[in-house]
Amino acid sequence: MNEQSQVNLKPGLEGVVAAATRISHVDGERGELVIAGRRVEAFAGESFESAVGLLWAAAGVTGRPVQVAGLPRRTERVLRDAAERGVAPMDALRMAAGTLVADEDLEAAGLMAGVFPTIVAAYARLCGGRKPIPPERTLGLAANFLHMLNGHEPEPELVRGLETYLNTVSDHGLNASTFTARVIVSTGSDFVSAVTGAIGALKGPLHGGAPGPALDTVFEIGEPSRAEAVLRGKLERGERLMGFGHRVYKVRDPRADVLDRAAAAMFEQAGDRQLYDLARSVEATAIRLLDQYKPGRRLRTNVEFYTALLLHGLGLETALFTPTFAIGRAAGWIAHCFEQRREGRLIRPDSVYVGDAAV
Ligand code: ACO
């Protein structure tokens, strides 16, 4: 027996409990998510400001509600340069987050939560050759995001749809990006560094980078009759179906339920059910084929599939899906930073050496 098989090696850390948290609870067997003491279905109905306040209160921090913030000049300079070079929006958000400076944790928290919508909207406009629009103090964070993107005050149902989304994805146990943030704070480092690192972790296609490709697949399929052939082709080639499968959920992700309902309401209102109906049919075919190709794996719809549909319905370009996810998840990252700062311990797991014997 070699050394590797003697230790309890868990390269993906599955089943390893590395934090006690009051911020959220994920039950992957029952398909339940509790955020700040509320079921996700109820939490989704809060304003985004209130959701942020509840998350931070769960981490033991109370204060003024978060307010939208304008772009610091140095941040705008970085974004302008990134737009000229055609940098991808998640990389631009990471670069912009790295320009933020705060003297202490609470200031960093308020600054990041307040300025992320401004950064993402400004970058989208700069990439389209348009001038950034400053925030409107009378509007909340979600309404401001749409206002700064589109240049007009958004319809209330669009704001509600966006708040539903941001709240739903704001926290989710010890997911990869939240873990990243906690590891960074656990070394005694600062919140801006922690959140900047978390943005990098969220970007990957196995985490927050999935909704764009998930929507691309729906568009590639185009009509329900083609779903079987296209999805089967992907599975035959060994590709993963984006928006399906989850490390923790073995049933349909409860966030997919919330976002599915929000997307249905939005597409109903806009009088365009076609895309929604197509997505439902793609989902049903995908689940059937995943059961066939990966029996026993229990691969079900995750949050990203209906994220794609909802954000598309809100008029967002695909490139903005993951940065918009970051706006919502930043609230949770920061809550975990507070909790880690107060209660955590340096996170430093072990490894097993499988290299050559020393000479
Ligand atoms: N499509 C096809 N096969 C899949 C999928 C999928 N979406 N997901 C998992 N599998 C297969 C794997 O190929 C593997 O098969 P094998 O045992 O025959 O090799 C088996 O199911 C188990 O997969 P793992 O990678 O071990 O599962 P893990 O828990 O690590 O992965 C993950 C979870 C990364 C989310 C995975 O399901 C996936 O890649 N999904 C597609 C990407 C996606 O939707 N990501 C968003 C997740 S939600 C979020 O982070 C906000």
Side-chain angles (χ1 to χ4, degrees), residues 14 202 205-208 210 235 239-248 250 253 255 290 293-294 297 299 302-304 325 329:
E14 48 270 68
L202 184 71
L206 301 188
H207 190 9
L235 290 168
E239 291 174 26
R240 291 186 177 210
L241 304 186
M242 291 294 151
F244 297 91
H246 198 272
R247 174 61 63 80
V248 182
K250 300 304 165 203
D253 186 330
R255 300 169 299 175
L290 285 169
Y293 280 81
K294 301 284 172 186
R297 292 293 191 191
L299 301 170
N302 67 43
V303 64
E304 303 289 44
F325 188 172
R329 183 55 61 86

Side-chain angles (χ1 to χ4, degrees), residues 121-198:
Y123 193 65
R125 291 188 68 87
L126 288 169
C127 287
R130 293 166 301 170
K131 270 177 64 173
I133 295 172
E136 183 61 65
R137 299 280 161 193
T138 54
L139 298 177
L141 286 168
N144 244 313
F145 179 54
L146 295 174
H147 161 71
M148 290 185 285
L149 267 179
N150 303 321
H152 55 81
E153 199 168 317
E155 303 293 319
E157 58 273 14
L158 295 188
V159 178
R160 179 86 293 276
L162 181 58
E163 290 197 310
T164 300
Y165 171 70
L166 295 174
N167 297 352
T168 299
V169 301
S170 62
D171 200 56
H172 201 243
L174 213 52
N175 62 86
S177 55
T178 300
F179 184 59
T180 304
R182 286 191 80 126
V183 169
I184 293 173
V185 169
S186 86
T187 68
S189 184
D190 65 287
F191 281 21
V192 171
S193 299
V195 169
T196 306

Side-chain angles (χ1 to χ4, degrees), residues 96-127:
T99 65
L100 302 175
V101 182
D103 289 330
E104 40 87 29
D105 291 346
L106 198 56
E107 187 194 342
L111 176 60
M112 287 188 288
V115 84
F116 276 16
T118 315
I119 290 173
V120 176
Y123 193 65
R125 291 188 68 87
L126 288 169
C127 287

